[in-house]
Amino acid sequence: KHRVFSGIQPSGGLTLGNYLGAIKRFVDMQDQGIETLYCVVDMHAITVWQDPEALRRQTRELAAGYLAAGLNPDRSILFNQSQVPEHAQLGWIFNCVARMGWMNRMTQWKDKAGKNAEKASLGLFAYPSLMAADILLYHATHVPVGEDQKQHVELTRDIAAKFNNDYDVAFFPLTEPVIEGAATRVMSLRDGSKKMSKSDPSDMSRINMTDDADTIAKKIRKAKTDPEPLPDTMKGLDDRPEARNLVRIYAALAEMTPDQVLADFGGQQFSAFKPALVDLAVDKLAPISTEMARLMQDPAEIDRILAGGAARARAIATPILERTYDIVGMVRG
Ligand code: AQP
């Protein structure tokens, strides 16, 4: 039986990378009729400093983004992590299963802590262990994520395997990452070697889900490219990361393969391709940002949906946590 879990941090506004790499695929999986749980991982967000008011707003905005993109709270379980305390409880147990060396090897830890690891929070170091708890608390079998999260899902498998081995049980599943589609790693519009990210200091590097049509048009017009026309197949873009990124974005938005896009645009200049990409992006993103703005006018309704989702999530999580405590040897009264 399939069960899907995934989450996004409310650590800023949503980007086109989050949409194409994650949310759009969350909706596809829901629509395939799979059991799906989608989380706003607020406890992950505070591994780096978050202003409390901003965190509250971003949590609701991310929930609004999920809903506006097509997640249906009757079909998917939508909730925020801190309302299901079992995540933290299982996370602690996994802190005692995972090894320091495993965490030390995580590229996200190395990127985010940088040379100043002494000053990073303990939570940032333990991030992948809490992420393993997020997933395994529901015995999730599949996790749709962007390319950058692959290593963390593999670590989740390592934690599950070590737990099962240490306690001689076949309890936690070995969860599969699901990384598919044309845009599993959307790159910065300013630098084709960097991931598009909500925390990039340059707003021109990313398209935000709340950008209006003029802003989207300006950012795509100014996106870095090269002077060559587009080739006929993706092979021709091997050494052209910025051009490759725009073709992949087009493909993901249009639900085509990148080679199909080049079958239409091969031989053409960016002066022809970019306006087509602007039209497509505005066409796909404007309805979502309009709906997000509408939903944000009623934060109490968003809070009600998150609380309802949390209650449903807890109903799945509680027996799994209780059984975990039992396996570990915790006395229950
Ligand atoms: N550029 C991207 N391309 C494809 N997928 C992406 N994701 C993020 N950026 C891209 C996917 O979005 C999901 C949620 O990510 P997250 O919020 O947990 O944190 P992140 O991966 O660290 O994303 P950001 O935008 O780069 O946030 P900051 O700047 O706060 O670190 C994940 O499935 C991720 O793969």
Side-chain angles (χ1 to χ4, degrees):
K1 180 165 153 270
H2 281 29
R3 182 182 281 157
V4 165
F5 175 93
S6 197
I8 298 182
Q9 300 183 70
S11 51
L14 281 169
T15 70
L16 181 65
N18 298 135
Y19 176 64
L20 294 177
I23 298 184
K24 190 170 186 303
R25 301 185 29 255
F26 297 178
V27 178
D28 292 341
M29 288 182 142
Q30 166 194 274
D31 293 349
Q32 285 165 28
I34 302 168
E35 183 181 8
T36 45
L37 293 101
Y38 297 122
C39 193
V40 178
V41 288
D42 49 8
M43 298 208 300
H44 284 284
I46 62 164
T47 56
V48 299
W49 168 253
Q50 302 292 334
D51 172 77
E53 273 315 309
L55 180 62
R56 247 187 290 278
R57 189 187 63 250
Q58 287 159 9
T59 298
R60 292 177 179 135
E61 203 168 79
L62 176 49
Y66 278 164
L67 295 165
L71 290 184
N72 176 336
D74 297 326
R75 294 171 67 193
S76 292
I77 299 181
L78 301 186
F79 66 106
N80 60 315
Q81 190 183 22
S82 63
Q83 288 205 74
V84 182
E86 288 79 4
H87 287 250
Q89 292 177 284
L90 186 61
W92 179 259
I93 293 184
F94 288 167
N95 282 348
C96 302
V97 173
R99 305 290 97 181
M100 301 273 281
W102 299 1
M103 303 290 153
N104 258 325
R105 281 194 289 277
M106 294 294 111
T107 56
Q108 181 172 298
W109 159 251
K110 287 190 245 178
D111 290 348
K112 290 201 173 175
K115 293 194 172 54
N116 215 356
E118 290 285 321
K119 292 273 164 62
S121 71
L122 189 54
L124 187 67
F125 188 66
Y127 186 115
S129 173
L130 180 60
M131 179 165 157
D134 299 339
I135 296 166
L136 295 173
L137 186 56
Y138 304 99
H139 280 188
T141 56
H142 294 81
V143 182
V145 279
E147 184 66 44
D148 61 314
Q149 290 294 333
K150 180 165 185 245
Q151 198 184 30
H152 286 166
V153 182
E154 283 165 358
L155 189 114
T156 298
R157 295 164 62 91
D158 292 340
I159 290 177
K162 186 169 192 306
F163 182 98
N164 290 345
N165 188 63
D166 287 353
Y167 293 102
D168 197 17
V169 287
F171 186 56
F172 288 115
L174 299 185
T175 308
E176 298 282 346
V178 185
I179 301 168
E180 54 192 25
T184 56
R185 187 172 172 80
V186 178
M187 308 309 281
S188 158
L189 299 179
R190 309 301 300 166
D191 177 351
S193 68
K194 269 169 55 187
K195 184 184 91 142
M196 183 181 285
S197 166
K198 21 174 143 73
S199 55
D200 192 310
S202 164
D203 194 57
M204 291 300 284
S205 72
R206 63 177 160 266
I207 292 174
N208 303 303
M209 294 306 289
T210 49
D211 284 344
D212 61 22
D214 287 346
T215 309
I216 294 173
K218 184 176 79 187
K219 287 178 175 176
I220 292 177
R221 239 184 358 255
K222 296 209 166 181
K224 191 173 163 200
T225 43
D226 56 48
E228 302 299 317
L230 284 166
D232 294 324
T233 67
M234 285 303 275
K235 269 227 118 346
L237 292 180
D238 281 350
D239 303 319
R240 297 170 64 188
E242 284 86 11
R244 186 170 63 222
N245 188 41
L246 294 184
V247 171
R248 285 192 180 150
I249 290 173
Y250 190 107
L253 286 169
E255 300 185 8
M256 298 162 79
T257 67
D259 278 318
Q260 285 168 337
V261 175
L262 290 176
D264 291 347
F265 287 97
Q268 297 198 34
Q269 300 288 342
F270 283 101
S271 55
F273 178 70
K274 278 185 170 180
L277 179 57
V278 169
D279 287 348
L280 175 65
V282 169
D283 197 50
K284 298 284 180 184
L285 302 181
I288 301 177
S289 67
T290 307
E291 177 64 3
M292 274 174 81
R294 193 189 68 78
L295 291 165
M296 283 300 282
Q297 287 172 1
D298 190 357
E301 171 65 8
I302 295 177
D303 295 359
R304 200 189 57 75
I305 289 171
L306 291 174
R312 288 166 63 202
R314 285 191 92 172
I316 303 173
T318 306
I320 293 178
L321 182 69
E322 282 304 316
R323 177 76 187 116
T324 309
Y325 278 155
D326 184 40
I327 291 168
V328 171
M330 305 297 196
V331 173
R332 326 299 294 150

